[in-house]
Amino acid sequence: MKIRLISTVVFAVLLGAPLGLQAQEVPADKQKAIVDMLATMKCEVDVANIEASGAGYELDDVFCADGQYDMDLNADLTVAEKRKE
């Protein structure tokens, strides 16, 4: 009986885990601010590639004049990390 209860709890946690790992929705006004900030750097990104990440944002496939990057932004939209692909 105890093993069955533990199995049920573990199974429920595993089913619910992917829901907690989903990316947070980035509001349209924040997406526009990110796109505008990137434009000053001569870069662009598809808004579908912007994800909330902790207190900042994670950008995939950012295209700049000098190449393609992945970037992490702080909450104030400053570049925390920029990795060339």
Side-chain angles (χ1 to χ4, degrees):
M1 178 78 161
K2 198 174 196 181
I3 292 174
R4 187 173 186 177
L5 176 62
I6 292 171
S7 298
T8 301
V9 169
V10 168
F11 184 70
V13 168
L14 290 175
L15 282 178
L19 298 175
L21 298 176
Q22 291 179 350
Q24 297 175 13
E25 190 78 22
V26 178
D29 62 327
K30 195 56 82 170
Q31 289 176 350
K32 182 178 179 342
I34 291 169
V35 168
D36 291 346
M37 182 275 299
L38 290 174
T40 65
M41 298 171 53
K42 297 187 183 338
C43 299
E44 58 185 41
V45 68
D46 184 331
V47 293
N49 292 333
I50 301 172
E51 295 179 2
S53 175
Y57 302 93
E58 185 176 309
L59 286 58
D60 293 322
D61 301 328
V62 179
F63 296 95
C64 299
D66 64 342
Q68 182 178 345
Y69 296 88
D70 285 343
M71 293 184 191
D72 294 329
L73 304 180
N74 295 319
D76 63 354
L77 304 186
T78 57
V79 177
E81 187 176 357
K82 184 177 177 181
R83 300 170 301 281
K84 192 160 183 121
E85 285 195 357

